[in-house]
Amino acid sequence: MSDTPSRLELLQFTRRAVEQQARASLRQLDRWIADEERREAERRRAEERRPPPPEWLIERGLDRTSLVAVHTGDCWDPGKPQMPVTREQARDAIRRQVQQAQPRVLNLAPFSVCGQL
């Protein structure tokens, strides 16, 4: 018998090597798929647990005391210093701001309302 493997033996060896590599690749793909399915499930659970947006937001000035604007909860530009409020609180904030601004008609602070009360 010759020390050199026959062509048939080489082909059988190659087939076993390719089969082993394919199984390893499939296991890796299965792990990636399972990881992605877990991430998707976590994203869905997080989305379901997320509280609904507030109905109204009050945007405050940089001093955190002055009222800048009242926004609906789904407003695209609610400003950064903001706090969620109820509809009644939003109305009350608007009333207070308007009452404060009336004596100083010429020096009104910027104020806006986003949405319908």
Side-chain angles (χ1 to χ4, degrees), residues 15-97:
R15 185 188 188 292
R16 285 191 305 273
V18 168
E19 186 179 358
Q20 181 181 7
Q21 291 172 352
R23 277 196 300 267
S25 293
L26 287 173
R27 281 192 302 271
Q28 179 65 48
L29 278 171
D30 288 342
R31 283 192 299 269
W32 289 343
I33 289 169
D35 290 344
E36 189 60 30
E37 286 172 341
R38 256 190 309 281
R39 283 191 289 272
E40 282 293 320
E42 288 170 5
R43 277 192 284 271
R44 280 192 304 273
R45 281 192 301 273
E47 187 66 32
E48 290 168 358
R49 287 191 312 256
R50 181 176 293 156
E55 188 177 356
W56 295 94
L57 296 168
I58 290 182
E59 180 183 351
R60 300 259 180 210
L62 293 177
D63 62 0
R64 299 280 182 185
T65 57
S66 62
L67 176 65
V68 175
V70 174
H71 299 273
T72 58
D74 59 353
C75 178
W76 65 273
D77 186 21
K80 293 297 178 201
Q82 61 186 343
M83 58 186 248
V85 294
T86 64
R87 180 182 178 123
E88 291 73 31
Q89 289 170 318
R91 283 184 173 194
D92 184 51
I94 291 170
R95 277 191 218 106
R96 280 187 286 121
Q97 181 69 21

